[in-house]
Amino acid sequence: SKNNCKKAIYLLSLVIEMKNEMIADLECLTIRPQGATKAVILLHGYGANMHDLFSLHEYLDPQGEWAWFFPNGPIRIPMGQMYEGRAWFAINMAALEAAMQRGQHRDLSGEVPENFDGMIDQQVHLVEEIQKQYPLTVLGGFSQGAMCSSHIAMRRPDLLSGLILLSGNLVAVEKWPKVAGKVSWPYFQSHGTHDPILSIAGAQSLSEKLMENGIAGEFYSFKGAHEIPMGIIEKASLYLKKLF
C-alpha cells in the first residue's frame, strides 16, 4: 500500500542518517534530520546499551522532526559472548538480588554511587554540546538512565526544554542542588505498580522531590513491572507534541 511504501522509505532514510558519534567522550547512536532544531537524548538502563531505547524514536517521533541521541554508558557490563551491556554507575547486585528474593525494594535515596559527581558532570557536558546545536533539548532515560537524567535536570535546568523519566527512582538525594524559582518546562514520569527492581514508592519520592524544587509535571503509574508499555509510549509522544 501507499502508506507502507512511505513508511519503508522513511525507515530507510533513518538507516542512512543513523550514525555513531563521539560526543563529550561518550559513544552515541544518533539521528540528525536536516533542519531539525529540537533534540531528544535518552539514557539507557543498567546492563543495556545505546541500542536498547533506539526503537522508541519511531513511536515518539513518527514524522522525523527531532534529532535523537542515544549515548553508551561508560561502564562495561559483560552479559555473554554476543552482548556487552553498559552502565552509568555501578550498583550492588548482591544486595539488589537479595532484596528481590525477599520481595523487598532497596531505598536508593541515601546511596551515592562511586564517582557519581564525575559521571553526572560528563553527562552535563554531553547535553551542553548537543544543546549548542539544538536549542530545544529534551533529556530522558529508563531506570538508571532516568536517575541520572533527574540529577542533570536539577543541576542544569537551563539546558533543557523537557524531561522524561521512565521507571526511575530517587538516588543520591544529598547530591541534589536547589533550583531557584520555577522551571518553565514540565516533566513526564512513569512507573509500574509491580516493578520488582525499583519501587513505585521511590519513583513517587523522586516526583515529590522534583516538585519541591520547582519542577512541575505528570506522574503516570501503570499495572506492570520494570518496562515501558505502549500506553506510556503514547503518552510520552503526546508530551513531546505539547512541549512546543
Side-chain angles (χ1 to χ4, degrees):
S1 71
K2 190 177 292 185
N3 287 337
N4 286 336
C5 288
K6 286 182 178 179
K7 185 173 182 181
I9 292 170
Y10 170 60
L11 293 177
L12 178 61
S13 70
L14 289 178
V15 171
I16 294 171
E17 292 176 5
M18 185 177 67
K19 295 180 180 178
N20 276 65
E21 302 181 44
M22 292 299 295
I23 306 173
D25 293 326
L26 290 170
E27 183 184 14
C28 295
L29 195 60
T30 70
I31 297 174
R32 297 176 181 260
Q34 189 172 6
T37 58
K38 306 180 292 186
V40 178
I41 307 167
L42 289 181
L43 309 180
H44 61 75
Y46 182 91
N49 59 38
M50 63 183 181
H51 296 278
D52 187 59
L53 301 177
F54 181 77
S55 63
L56 285 181
H57 75 86
E58 297 177 28
Y59 302 96
L60 297 177
D61 180 28
Q63 303 303 318
E65 297 175 349
W66 297 71
W68 289 84
F69 296 84
F70 302 88
N72 237 359
I75 301 175
R76 298 176 184 272
I77 309 292
M79 304 294 286
Q81 292 184 348
M82 303 299 291
Y83 185 85
E84 180 184 71
R86 296 296 187 100
W88 300 102
F89 54 84
I91 62 174
N92 187 331
M93 286 300 299
L96 174 62
E97 291 171 359
M100 290 176 65
Q101 289 175 359
R102 295 192 301 269
Q104 300 174 341
H105 292 94
R106 295 178 65 219
D107 180 4
L108 303 176
S109 61
E111 296 190 14
V112 180
E114 184 179 356
N115 193 36
F116 190 76
D117 286 323
M119 179 269 301
I120 295 297
D121 286 344
Q122 184 179 30
Q123 293 176 344
V124 168
H125 186 205
L126 171 78
V127 178
E128 286 176 333
E129 292 301 304
I130 293 170
Q131 201 262 349
K132 287 177 184 176
Q133 293 180 277
Y134 302 95
L136 304 175
T137 295
V138 175
L139 175 66
F142 175 75
S143 191
Q144 195 179 84
M147 299 182 209
C148 295
S149 297
S150 65
H151 276 267
I152 296 165
M154 288 296 296
R155 290 193 189 191
R156 294 296 306 277
D158 59 298
L159 293 175
L160 303 181
S161 297
L163 179 66
I164 298 175
L165 305 175
L166 306 170
S167 297
N169 258 209
L170 182 62
V171 65
V173 68
E174 68 183 71
K175 294 293 184 179
W176 278 49
K178 297 292 183 182
V179 174
K182 294 285 184 179
V183 173
S184 60
W185 45 262
Y187 69 86
F188 175 95
Q189 186 180 4
S190 68
H191 207 92
T193 55
H194 303 294
D195 191 326
I197 299 174
L198 297 174
S199 72
I200 191 167
Q204 290 166 338
S205 295
L206 173 57
S207 179
E208 291 167 4
K209 202 69 179 176
L210 288 167
M211 289 190 286
E212 285 174 12
N213 288 273
I215 305 179
E218 295 290 338
F219 182 98
Y220 297 96
S221 63
F222 59 89
K223 292 182 179 180
H226 201 59
E227 58 188 311
I228 313 172
M230 184 54 67
I232 292 299
I233 293 173
E234 291 170 353
K235 285 182 170 61
S237 179
L238 288 174
Y239 165 79
L240 287 177
K241 289 177 181 178
K242 290 179 181 178
L243 281 178
F244 315 112

